[in-house]
Amino acid sequence: MSRLKGSDNQSQMTRRGFLVSMTAAGVAFGFPQASNAAMNPAVPDGTPITPNGQPFEPSMWYWIDADGQVNVNIIRAEMGQHVGTAIARILADELEVAWENVHITHVDTAEKWGLMVTGGSWSIWQSWPVYRQAGAAGRTALIEAAAAKWGVDASGLTARDGAVTDGTQSISYGDLVAEGLDRSFTEDELAALPLKPHADLRLVGQDVHPLDLDTKTTGQAIYGLDAKVDGMVYGVPMLPPTRYGSKVNSVDDSAAKEVKGYLETVVLDDPSGTVPGWVVVLGKTLHAARMATYEISVDWTAGETANVSEDDIQARSRELIASDAGSILHTEQPETSAVFDAAAETLEAEYTTQSVLHFQMEPVNATVFQNADGIWETHAGNQWQSLILPTLSTALEVPADKIVMRSYMLGGGFGRRLNGDYIVPAALASKAVGKPVKLVFSREEDAQFDSIRSPSVQKLRMAFDDAKAVTGMEHHAAAGWPTQVMAPGFMPKGVNEEPYDPFAIDGADHWYSVGAHRVRAISNDLANATFRPGWLRSVGPGWTNFAVESFMDEAAHKVGADPLQFRLDHLKAEGINAGSAPNAVGGASRQATVLQRVAEMSGYGKTDLPEGTAIGIATTFGQSRSMPTWTAAAVKLAVDAETGEVAVQKMWLAFDCGTVVDPDGAHAQCVGAALWGLSMALHEGTRIENGNVVDLNLGSYTPLRMVDVPDVEVAFVESTEAPVGLGEPGTTVIAPAIANAIFNATGARVRHLPITPDAILAALES
């Protein structure tokens, strides 16, 4: 108490005082001007760096100015993963510039940037060849310019830290740019440019200061919720009773007119069909709009899914699995009837997962208006600008080139902001009233409107011969399909010419050699009609790998094999599982390596653990066969046999992601993903009742708390292969490792996520 009563005012900061201080700081630091086309996250006002003089632009991905400053254009969304820093590092390493001269700009949605999407753990994987080539082009052009200036052969020159030298003289990039360069490269020339040997990379794989770290840690970073434009009004949505098919019959706002600051209520007319039956309440302040909603009565006619429950959706999945519906994926031998007919023994199990919410910290929001040039500006954090732009065009009934999206940091994405549907009602409200509208969702509205991870049902079968050898495997998976609903053009076709959502089945087409292998992906039409299925961190592999790796464990126990050795025996780099360049070199052998690595790290198989304590293992290849990040995990936990409570004590993970570009960011991504996997395995899950999710806030929806976070140890296999993704793979491997550990600790097999104490007790009793 004496310390609290001391004279040091700084030490007496209260929580309220802290929040007030932070709010004041936000205002003082300002917000991006409406005219800003892009954002530099390294500075408080977000203004991109301006070049000194005419810059040299070897490609559209960056420029160099007369001061030697390099600005790298980033089309990926920043949501805490330091993606701009990682991508800029790839370019700067190949270009040979000093890190302190590198800046980044998160660009707007001009057509020249092409497909803009941040998801699927794709960012580094896709950027690696592009930005390396771009950097090499700049280095080559600058060396050639120096050679021409000195009248020497370019082959004798080298570049380092933003300067070119022949050993006796040197010149900076800035000076070369100031003298003028106009070198350009054809696509063939770009492809033929020599890249630095892996051993000569000096920024890739090393720790550098993240370019946007300072504004993040000082609270100066600008998020979508910070967007503000002159003359804007605030909007609060009133959500209809069903996601689709609702109609507004009448609105009574007579009582709301007594609310100070209340402006009007708008019934949205949405040609895009994104937000049918929506009502937006407008106010001079957010508080006024919110208070008015409590005084407004809306009479709706609900859509056809008003009475749908989670059980209904799961029953529909089982019905579909029992039919011939769905797409058969391309495996080496998709026909399995013969081996199952001839099998000496078979194993069959069903795995289910519950609906899961995103619950990103920053609820979705958007600010939209038509500027003086007639361009519709949207200000919001978003992961897939190219997806929502056509929808906005339809909703506003203007060509897509009359819309521009401003880039903001995301206060959490995790796939929720791949679907930019939350921008549509803001745009429609702005169009209706002719003013800028800032639409802000409450936590509850955000949850109800969420594009949730669909519940799923999976049926797995395995066939064995007389010698207990595996001769065939089947995997039938049914769930709501986000890609089918929002981006059907991304759906490939299976061997039966039926299209499928790869993001809802990746992982089931595993790298184990199991003889005949049939993978069937099925779209649940009732799920798709009830809610808008979303991509949630790891998407399909979050449930397919739970089933595959739990089932492999069950299969090992069925034939009396050690689960680790059973997996290793079936990870053979042969046939379709041999892998291919550039992304899957080594195939199944690399997955076997990370599995062995994590077994060694954890001491898997040790027998001196306390009663009720065990280690479980699992291995995956998140995110997909076309971009496998070889992943393995071991989880040590204790189960209270009286209560069914699980205490996770430690998690070990090993990754082979090829070249590690950003060591600190990679580690953070893997730990975050693993904890998300733990959260979904034991803590997260909601249900659909009456057509909507039942959990709307953190009182009943209880993600992993800090007190439940175990020690996490992460190892990376050293590699010079092409880098692949790390945002999601760590998520995919934890749930099965936990389920397998619970079995090892208690003998209880759990086949549903989330794993609840009641489920464990029920499994123990059975």
Coordinates of all heavy atoms in Angstrom, one line a residue, residues 117-122 353-358 383-384 413-419 451-456 458 477-484 486 501-508 531-547 620 622-624 627 673 676-677 680 727-733 735-736 753:
V117 N -4.4 -11.5 -52.0 CA -5.0 -12.4 -51.0 C -3.9 -12.7 -50.0 O -2.8 -12.9 -50.4 CB -5.6 -13.6 -51.7 CG1 -4.6 -14.4 -52.5 CG2 -6.2 -14.5 -50.6
T118 N -4.3 -12.7 -48.8 CA -3.4 -13.1 -47.7 C -4.1 -14.2 -46.9 O -4.9 -14.0 -46.1 CB -3.1 -11.9 -46.8 OG1 -2.7 -10.8 -47.6 CG2 -2.0 -12.3 -45.8
G119 N -3.7 -15.5 -47.2 CA -4.3 -16.6 -46.5 C -3.6 -17.9 -47.0 O -2.7 -17.8 -47.9
G120 N -4.0 -19.0 -46.5 CA -3.5 -20.3 -46.9 C -2.0 -20.5 -46.6 O -1.4 -21.4 -47.2
S121 N -1.4 -19.6 -45.8 CA 0.0 -19.7 -45.5 C 0.8 -19.5 -46.8 O 1.9 -20.0 -47.0 CB 0.4 -21.0 -44.9 OG -0.3 -21.2 -43.7
W122 N 0.3 -18.7 -47.8 CA 0.8 -18.6 -49.1 C 1.9 -17.4 -49.2 O 2.6 -17.4 -50.2 CB -0.3 -18.3 -50.1 CG -1.2 -19.4 -50.4 CD1 -1.0 -20.7 -50.1 CD2 -2.5 -19.3 -51.1 NE1 -2.1 -21.4 -50.5 CE2 -3.0 -20.6 -51.1 CE3 -3.2 -18.2 -51.6 CZ2 -4.3 -20.8 -51.7 CZ3 -4.4 -18.5 -52.2 CH2 -4.9 -19.8 -52.3
T353 N -16.4 -32.7 -35.8 CA -15.9 -31.5 -35.2 C -17.1 -30.5 -35.1 O -18.0 -30.5 -36.0 CB -14.8 -30.8 -36.0 OG1 -15.2 -30.5 -37.3 CG2 -13.6 -31.8 -36.0
Q354 N -17.0 -29.6 -34.2 CA -18.1 -28.6 -33.9 C -17.8 -27.3 -34.6 O -16.7 -27.1 -35.1 CB -18.1 -28.4 -32.4 CG -19.5 -28.0 -31.8 CD -19.5 -28.3 -30.4 OE1 -19.2 -29.4 -29.9 NE2 -19.9 -27.3 -29.6
S355 N -18.8 -26.5 -34.8 CA -18.6 -25.2 -35.4 C -17.6 -24.4 -34.5 O -17.6 -24.5 -33.3 CB -20.0 -24.4 -35.4 OG -20.9 -25.1 -36.2
V356 N -16.8 -23.6 -35.2 CA -15.8 -22.7 -34.5 C -15.9 -21.3 -35.0 O -16.0 -21.1 -36.2 CB -14.4 -23.3 -34.7 CG1 -13.4 -22.5 -34.0 CG2 -14.3 -24.8 -34.3
L357 N -15.8 -20.4 -34.1 CA -15.8 -18.9 -34.4 C -14.4 -18.4 -34.6 O -13.4 -19.0 -34.0 CB -16.5 -18.2 -33.3 CG -18.0 -18.5 -33.0 CD1 -18.4 -18.0 -31.7 CD2 -18.8 -17.8 -34.1
H358 N -14.3 -17.3 -35.3 CA -13.0 -16.6 -35.4 C -12.6 -15.9 -34.1 O -11.5 -16.0 -33.6 CB -13.0 -15.7 -36.6 CG -12.9 -16.4 -37.9 ND1 -14.0 -16.8 -38.5 CD2 -11.9 -16.7 -38.7 CE1 -13.7 -17.4 -39.7 NE2 -12.4 -17.3 -39.8
Q383 N -8.2 -9.3 -46.0 CA -7.3 -10.3 -46.4 C -7.4 -10.6 -47.9 O -6.4 -11.2 -48.4 CB -7.4 -11.6 -45.6 CG -7.0 -11.4 -44.1 CD -7.3 -12.7 -43.4 OE1 -8.1 -12.8 -42.5 NE2 -6.5 -13.8 -43.7
W384 N -8.5 -10.4 -48.5 CA -8.7 -10.8 -49.9 C -9.4 -9.8 -50.6 O -10.6 -9.9 -50.9 CB -9.4 -12.2 -49.9 CG -9.3 -12.9 -51.2 CD1 -8.9 -12.4 -52.4 CD2 -9.7 -14.2 -51.5 NE1 -9.0 -13.3 -53.4 CE2 -9.5 -14.5 -52.9 CE3 -10.3 -15.3 -50.7 CZ2 -9.8 -15.7 -53.5 CZ3 -10.5 -16.5 -51.4 CH2 -10.3 -16.7 -52.7
G413 N -6.9 -11.6 -38.1 CA -7.6 -12.0 -39.3 C -8.0 -13.4 -39.2 O -9.2 -13.7 -39.2
F414 N -7.0 -14.3 -39.2 CA -7.2 -15.7 -39.1 C -8.2 -16.3 -40.1 O -8.9 -17.3 -39.8 CB -7.7 -16.0 -37.6 CG -6.9 -15.3 -36.6 CD1 -7.6 -14.3 -35.8 CD2 -5.6 -15.5 -36.4 CE1 -6.9 -13.6 -34.8 CE2 -4.9 -14.8 -35.5 CZ -5.5 -13.8 -34.7
G415 N -8.4 -15.6 -41.2 CA -9.3 -16.1 -42.2 C -10.6 -15.3 -42.2 O -11.3 -15.3 -43.2
R416 N -11.0 -14.7 -41.1 CA -12.3 -14.0 -41.1 C -12.4 -12.9 -42.1 O -13.4 -12.7 -42.8 CB -12.6 -13.4 -39.7 CG -13.9 -12.5 -39.7 CD -15.1 -13.3 -40.1 NE -16.3 -12.4 -40.2 CZ -16.8 -12.0 -41.3 NH1 -16.2 -12.2 -42.5 NH2 -17.9 -11.3 -41.3
R417 N -11.3 -12.2 -42.3 CA -11.3 -11.1 -43.2 C -10.9 -11.4 -44.6 O -10.7 -10.6 -45.5 CB -10.4 -9.9 -42.6 CG -11.0 -9.2 -41.4 CD -10.1 -8.1 -40.9 NE -10.8 -7.2 -40.0 CZ -10.9 -7.4 -38.7 NH1 -10.3 -8.4 -38.1 NH2 -11.5 -6.5 -37.9
L418 N -10.8 -12.8 -44.9 CA -10.8 -13.2 -46.3 C -12.1 -12.9 -46.9 O -12.2 -12.5 -48.1 CB -10.5 -14.7 -46.4 CG -9.0 -15.1 -46.1 CD1 -9.0 -16.6 -45.9 CD2 -8.1 -14.7 -47.3
N419 N -13.1 -13.0 -46.2 CA -14.5 -12.7 -46.6 C -14.8 -11.3 -46.2 O -15.0 -11.0 -45.0 CB -15.5 -13.7 -45.9 CG -16.9 -13.3 -46.2 OD1 -17.2 -12.5 -47.1 ND2 -17.8 -13.9 -45.5
S451 N -18.2 -15.8 -40.5 CA -18.1 -16.9 -41.4 C -17.4 -18.0 -40.7 O -16.1 -18.2 -40.7 CB -17.3 -16.5 -42.7 OG -18.0 -15.6 -43.4
I452 N -18.1 -18.9 -40.0 CA -17.6 -19.8 -39.1 C -16.9 -21.0 -39.8 O -17.1 -21.2 -41.0 CB -18.7 -20.4 -38.1 CG1 -19.7 -21.2 -38.9 CG2 -19.3 -19.2 -37.4 CD1 -20.7 -21.9 -38.1
R453 N -16.0 -21.7 -39.0 CA -15.5 -23.0 -39.5 C -16.7 -24.0 -39.4 O -17.2 -24.2 -38.3 CB -14.3 -23.5 -38.7 CG -13.6 -24.6 -39.4 CD -12.4 -25.1 -38.7 NE -12.7 -26.1 -37.6 CZ -11.8 -26.8 -36.9 NH1 -10.5 -26.6 -37.2 NH2 -12.2 -27.6 -36.0
S454 N -17.0 -24.6 -40.5 CA -18.2 -25.5 -40.5 C -18.0 -26.7 -39.6 O -16.9 -27.2 -39.4 CB -18.4 -26.0 -41.9 OG -19.4 -27.0 -42.0
P455 N -19.1 -27.2 -39.0 CA -19.0 -28.5 -38.4 C -18.7 -29.5 -39.4 O -19.0 -29.3 -40.6 CB -20.4 -28.6 -37.7 CG -21.3 -27.8 -38.5 CD -20.4 -26.6 -39.0
S456 N -18.2 -30.6 -39.0 CA -17.8 -31.6 -40.0 C -18.1 -33.0 -39.5 O -18.1 -33.3 -38.3 CB -16.3 -31.5 -40.4 OG -15.5 -31.9 -39.3
Q458 N -16.6 -37.0 -40.6 CA -15.7 -37.8 -41.4 C -15.8 -39.3 -41.0 O -15.8 -39.6 -39.9 CB -14.3 -37.3 -41.2 CG -14.1 -35.9 -41.5 CD -12.7 -35.4 -41.1 OE1 -11.7 -35.5 -41.8 NE2 -12.6 -34.8 -39.9
A477 N -15.4 -37.1 -46.2 CA -15.5 -35.9 -45.3 C -16.6 -35.0 -45.8 O -16.6 -34.6 -47.0 CB -14.1 -35.2 -45.3
A478 N -17.5 -34.6 -45.0 CA -18.6 -33.7 -45.3 C -18.6 -32.5 -44.4 O -18.5 -32.6 -43.2 CB -19.9 -34.5 -45.3
A479 N -18.7 -31.3 -45.0 CA -18.8 -30.1 -44.3 C -19.3 -29.0 -45.2 O -19.4 -29.2 -46.4 CB -17.4 -29.7 -43.7
G480 N -19.5 -27.8 -44.6 CA -19.8 -26.6 -45.4 C -18.5 -26.2 -46.1 O -17.4 -26.3 -45.6
W481 N -18.7 -25.7 -47.4 CA -17.5 -25.4 -48.2 C -17.4 -23.9 -48.4 O -18.2 -23.3 -49.2 CB -17.6 -26.1 -49.6 CG -17.3 -27.6 -49.5 CD1 -17.0 -28.3 -48.5 CD2 -17.2 -28.4 -50.7 NE1 -16.7 -29.6 -48.8 CE2 -16.8 -29.7 -50.2 CE3 -17.4 -28.2 -52.0 CZ2 -16.7 -30.8 -51.1 CZ3 -17.2 -29.3 -52.9 CH2 -16.9 -30.6 -52.4
P482 N -16.4 -23.2 -47.8 CA -16.3 -21.8 -48.0 C -15.9 -21.4 -49.5 O -16.4 -20.4 -50.0 CB -15.1 -21.4 -47.1 CG -14.4 -22.7 -46.8 CD -15.5 -23.8 -46.9
T483 N -15.1 -22.2 -50.1 CA -14.7 -21.9 -51.5 C -15.8 -22.0 -52.4 O -16.0 -21.2 -53.4 CB -13.5 -22.7 -51.9 OG1 -12.5 -22.7 -50.9 CG2 -12.9 -22.2 -53.2
Q484 N -16.7 -23.0 -52.2 CA -17.8 -23.2 -53.1 C -18.8 -22.0 -53.0 O -19.3 -21.5 -54.0 CB -18.6 -24.5 -52.7 CG -19.8 -24.7 -53.6 CD -20.5 -26.0 -53.2 OE1 -20.5 -26.4 -52.0 NE2 -21.2 -26.6 -54.1
M486 N -18.0 -18.8 -51.9 CA -17.4 -17.5 -52.1 C -16.5 -17.4 -53.3 O -16.3 -16.3 -53.9 CB -16.7 -17.0 -50.9 CG -17.7 -16.7 -49.7 SD -16.9 -16.0 -48.3 CE -16.4 -17.4 -47.4
D501 N -13.9 -28.4 -52.9 CA -13.2 -27.3 -52.2 C -11.9 -27.9 -51.6 O -11.9 -28.6 -50.7 CB -14.1 -26.8 -51.1 CG -13.5 -25.6 -50.4 OD1 -12.3 -25.4 -50.5 OD2 -14.3 -24.9 -49.7
P502 N -10.8 -27.5 -52.2 CA -9.5 -28.1 -51.7 C -9.3 -27.6 -50.2 O -8.6 -28.4 -49.5 CB -8.4 -27.5 -52.6 CG -9.1 -26.3 -53.2 CD -10.5 -26.6 -53.3
F503 N -9.8 -26.5 -49.8 CA -9.5 -26.0 -48.5 C -10.4 -26.7 -47.5 O -10.3 -26.5 -46.3 CB -9.8 -24.5 -48.4 CG -9.0 -23.7 -49.4 CD1 -9.5 -23.3 -50.6 CD2 -7.6 -23.5 -49.2 CE1 -8.7 -22.6 -51.5 CE2 -6.8 -22.9 -50.1 CZ -7.4 -22.4 -51.3
A504 N -11.3 -27.5 -47.9 CA -12.2 -28.3 -47.0 C -11.8 -29.8 -47.0 O -12.4 -30.6 -46.3 CB -13.6 -28.2 -47.4
I505 N -10.7 -30.2 -47.7 CA -10.3 -31.6 -47.8 C -8.8 -31.8 -47.7 O -8.3 -32.9 -47.5 CB -10.9 -32.3 -49.0 CG1 -10.9 -33.8 -48.9 CG2 -10.2 -31.7 -50.3 CD1 -11.7 -34.4 -47.8
D506 N -8.0 -30.7 -47.9 CA -6.6 -30.8 -47.8 C -6.2 -31.5 -46.5 O -6.8 -31.3 -45.4 CB -5.9 -29.4 -47.8 CG -5.7 -28.8 -49.1 OD1 -5.7 -29.6 -50.1 OD2 -5.6 -27.6 -49.2
G507 N -5.3 -32.4 -46.6 CA -4.9 -33.2 -45.4 C -5.4 -34.6 -45.5 O -4.6 -35.5 -45.1
A508 N -6.6 -34.8 -46.0 CA -7.1 -36.2 -46.2 C -6.3 -36.9 -47.3 O -6.1 -38.1 -47.2 CB -8.5 -36.1 -46.5
F531 N -25.4 -20.9 -42.9 CA -24.4 -19.8 -42.6 C -23.5 -19.7 -43.8 O -23.6 -20.5 -44.7 CB -23.7 -20.2 -41.3 CG -23.0 -21.5 -41.3 CD1 -21.7 -21.7 -41.8 CD2 -23.7 -22.6 -40.8 CE1 -21.1 -22.9 -41.8 CE2 -23.1 -23.9 -40.8 CZ -21.8 -24.0 -41.3
R532 N -22.6 -18.8 -43.7 CA -21.6 -18.7 -44.8 C -20.3 -19.3 -44.3 O -19.6 -18.7 -43.4 CB -21.3 -17.2 -45.1 CG -20.3 -17.0 -46.2 CD -20.2 -15.6 -46.7 NE -21.4 -15.3 -47.6 CZ -21.5 -14.3 -48.4 NH1 -20.4 -13.5 -48.6 NH2 -22.5 -14.1 -49.1
P533 N -20.0 -20.5 -44.7 CA -18.8 -21.2 -44.2 C -17.5 -20.4 -44.5 O -17.4 -19.8 -45.6 CB -18.8 -22.5 -45.0 CG -20.1 -22.7 -45.5 CD -20.7 -21.3 -45.7
G534 N -16.6 -20.3 -43.6 CA -15.5 -19.5 -43.7 C -14.2 -20.3 -43.6 O -14.1 -21.4 -43.2
W535 N -13.1 -19.6 -44.1 CA -11.8 -20.1 -43.9 C -11.3 -19.7 -42.6 O -11.0 -18.5 -42.3 CB -10.9 -19.6 -45.0 CG -11.3 -19.9 -46.4 CD1 -11.2 -21.0 -47.1 CD2 -12.0 -19.0 -47.3 NE1 -11.7 -20.9 -48.4 CE2 -12.2 -19.7 -48.6 CE3 -12.5 -17.7 -47.2 CZ2 -12.8 -19.1 -49.7 CZ3 -13.1 -17.1 -48.3 CH2 -13.3 -17.8 -49.5
L536 N -11.1 -20.6 -41.7 CA -10.5 -20.3 -40.3 C -9.2 -20.9 -40.2 O -9.1 -22.1 -40.6 CB -11.5 -20.7 -39.2 CG -11.1 -20.3 -37.8 CD1 -12.4 -20.1 -37.0 CD2 -10.3 -21.4 -37.1
R537 N -8.2 -20.3 -39.7 CA -6.8 -20.7 -39.6 C -6.7 -22.2 -39.7 O -7.0 -22.9 -38.8 CB -6.2 -20.2 -38.3 CG -4.7 -20.2 -38.3 CD -4.1 -19.5 -37.1 NE -2.7 -19.4 -37.2 CZ -1.9 -18.7 -36.4 NH1 -2.5 -18.1 -35.3 NH2 -0.6 -18.6 -36.5
S538 N -6.2 -22.7 -40.8 CA -5.9 -24.1 -41.2 C -7.1 -24.7 -41.9 O -6.9 -25.7 -42.6 CB -5.5 -24.9 -40.0 OG -6.6 -25.4 -39.3
V539 N -8.3 -24.1 -41.8 CA -9.4 -24.6 -42.6 C -9.6 -26.1 -42.5 O -9.6 -26.7 -41.4 CB -9.4 -24.1 -44.0 CG1 -10.8 -24.0 -44.6 CG2 -8.7 -22.7 -44.2
G540 N -9.7 -26.8 -43.6 CA -10.0 -28.2 -43.6 C -8.9 -29.0 -42.9 O -9.3 -29.9 -42.1
P541 N -7.7 -28.7 -43.0 CA -6.7 -29.5 -42.3 C -6.9 -29.5 -40.8 O -6.3 -30.3 -40.0 CB -5.3 -28.9 -42.7 CG -5.6 -28.4 -44.1 CD -7.0 -27.9 -44.1
G542 N -7.6 -28.5 -40.3 CA -7.9 -28.5 -38.9 C -8.8 -29.6 -38.4 O -8.8 -30.0 -37.3
W543 N -9.6 -30.2 -39.4 CA -10.4 -31.3 -39.0 C -9.9 -32.6 -39.7 O -10.0 -33.7 -39.1 CB -11.9 -31.1 -39.2 CG -12.4 -30.9 -40.6 CD1 -12.5 -31.9 -41.6 CD2 -12.9 -29.7 -41.2 NE1 -13.0 -31.3 -42.7 CE2 -13.2 -30.0 -42.6 CE3 -13.0 -28.4 -40.8 CZ2 -13.7 -29.1 -43.5 CZ3 -13.5 -27.4 -41.7 CH2 -13.9 -27.8 -43.0
T544 N -9.5 -32.5 -41.0 CA -9.1 -33.7 -41.7 C -7.9 -34.4 -41.0 O -7.8 -35.6 -40.8 CB -8.7 -33.4 -43.1 OG1 -7.6 -32.5 -43.1 CG2 -9.8 -32.9 -43.9
N545 N -6.9 -33.6 -40.5 CA -5.8 -34.2 -39.8 C -6.1 -34.7 -38.5 O -5.4 -35.7 -38.0 CB -4.6 -33.1 -39.7 CG -4.0 -32.9 -41.1 OD1 -3.4 -33.8 -41.6 ND2 -4.1 -31.7 -41.6
F546 N -7.1 -34.1 -37.8 CA -7.6 -34.7 -36.5 C -8.0 -36.1 -36.8 O -7.7 -37.1 -36.0 CB -8.7 -33.9 -36.0 CG -9.4 -34.5 -34.8 CD1 -8.8 -34.9 -33.7 CD2 -10.8 -34.8 -35.0 CE1 -9.5 -35.5 -32.6 CE2 -11.5 -35.4 -33.9 CZ -10.8 -35.7 -32.7
A547 N -8.7 -36.3 -37.9 CA -9.3 -37.7 -38.2 C -8.1 -38.6 -38.7 O -8.0 -39.7 -38.2 CB -10.3 -37.5 -39.3
T620 N 1.6 -34.0 -39.7 CA 0.8 -33.5 -40.8 C 1.8 -32.8 -41.8 O 3.0 -32.9 -41.7 CB -0.2 -32.4 -40.3 OG1 0.5 -31.3 -39.9 CG2 -1.1 -33.0 -39.2
G622 N 0.7 -29.6 -43.2 CA 0.0 -28.4 -43.6 C 0.8 -27.5 -44.5 O 2.0 -27.4 -44.3
Q623 N 0.2 -27.0 -45.6 CA -1.3 -26.8 -45.7 C -1.9 -27.7 -46.7 O -3.0 -28.1 -46.6 CB -1.5 -25.3 -46.0 CG -2.9 -24.8 -45.6 CD -3.3 -25.0 -44.2 OE1 -2.5 -25.0 -43.3 NE2 -4.6 -25.1 -44.0
S624 N -1.1 -28.1 -47.7 CA -1.6 -28.9 -48.8 C -0.5 -29.7 -49.5 O 0.7 -29.4 -49.3 CB -2.3 -28.0 -49.9 OG -1.4 -27.2 -50.5
M627 N 1.9 -27.6 -51.4 CA 2.8 -26.7 -50.6 C 3.0 -27.3 -49.2 O 2.6 -26.7 -48.3 CB 2.2 -25.3 -50.5 CG 3.1 -24.3 -49.9 SD 2.2 -22.8 -49.4 CE 1.3 -23.5 -48.0
A673 N 0.2 -20.7 -33.9 CA -0.7 -21.7 -34.6 C -0.9 -22.9 -33.7 O -2.0 -23.4 -33.6 CB 0.0 -22.2 -35.9
W676 N -3.4 -22.0 -31.0 CA -4.7 -22.0 -31.6 C -5.2 -23.4 -31.8 O -6.4 -23.7 -31.5 CB -4.7 -21.3 -33.0 CG -6.0 -20.9 -33.5 CD1 -7.0 -21.8 -33.9 CD2 -6.5 -19.6 -33.7 NE1 -8.1 -21.1 -34.3 CE2 -7.8 -19.8 -34.2 CE3 -6.0 -18.4 -33.5 CZ2 -8.6 -18.7 -34.5 CZ3 -6.8 -17.3 -33.8 CH2 -8.1 -17.4 -34.3
G677 N -4.3 -24.3 -32.2 CA -4.7 -25.7 -32.3 C -5.1 -26.3 -31.0 O -6.1 -27.1 -30.9
M680 N -8.6 -24.9 -30.1 CA -9.7 -25.6 -30.8 C -9.9 -27.0 -30.3 O -11.0 -27.6 -30.4 CB -9.5 -25.5 -32.3 CG -9.8 -24.1 -32.8 SD -10.0 -24.0 -34.6 CE -8.3 -24.3 -35.1
G727 N 1.9 -20.1 -41.4 CA 0.8 -19.5 -40.6 C -0.1 -20.5 -40.0 O -0.7 -20.3 -39.0
E728 N -0.3 -21.6 -40.7 CA -1.3 -22.6 -40.3 C -0.9 -24.0 -39.9 O -1.5 -24.7 -39.1 CB -2.4 -22.7 -41.4 CG -3.1 -21.4 -41.6 CD -3.8 -21.3 -43.0 OE1 -3.0 -21.3 -44.0 OE2 -5.0 -21.3 -43.0
P729 N 0.2 -24.5 -40.5 CA 0.6 -25.9 -40.2 C 0.6 -26.3 -38.7 O 0.2 -27.4 -38.4 CB 2.0 -26.0 -40.9 CG 1.9 -25.0 -42.0 CD 1.2 -23.8 -41.4
G730 N 1.1 -25.4 -37.9 CA 1.2 -25.7 -36.5 C -0.2 -26.0 -35.8 O -0.3 -26.7 -34.8
T731 N -1.2 -25.4 -36.4 CA -2.6 -25.6 -35.9 C -3.1 -27.1 -36.1 O -3.8 -27.6 -35.3 CB -3.5 -24.7 -36.6 OG1 -3.1 -23.3 -36.5 CG2 -4.9 -24.8 -36.0
T732 N -2.6 -27.6 -37.3 CA -3.2 -28.9 -37.8 C -2.8 -30.1 -37.0 O -3.5 -31.1 -37.1 CB -2.9 -29.1 -39.2 OG1 -1.5 -29.3 -39.3 CG2 -3.2 -27.9 -40.1
V733 N -1.8 -30.0 -36.2 CA -1.2 -31.2 -35.7 C -1.5 -31.4 -34.2 O -1.2 -32.5 -33.6 CB 0.4 -31.2 -35.9 CG1 1.0 -30.2 -35.0 CG2 1.0 -32.5 -35.9
A735 N -4.5 -31.1 -32.2 CA -5.7 -31.8 -31.8 C -5.5 -33.3 -31.8 O -5.8 -34.0 -30.8 CB -6.9 -31.4 -32.6
P736 N -4.9 -33.9 -32.9 CA -4.7 -35.4 -32.9 C -3.7 -35.8 -31.9 O -3.8 -36.9 -31.3 CB -4.3 -35.7 -34.3 CG -3.8 -34.4 -34.9 CD -4.7 -33.3 -34.2
L753 N -14.2 -33.0 -31.7 CA -13.6 -31.7 -31.2 C -14.8 -30.7 -31.0 O -15.7 -30.6 -31.9 CB -12.7 -31.1 -32.3 CG -11.4 -32.0 -32.5 CD1 -10.5 -31.3 -33.6 CD2 -10.6 -32.2 -31.3

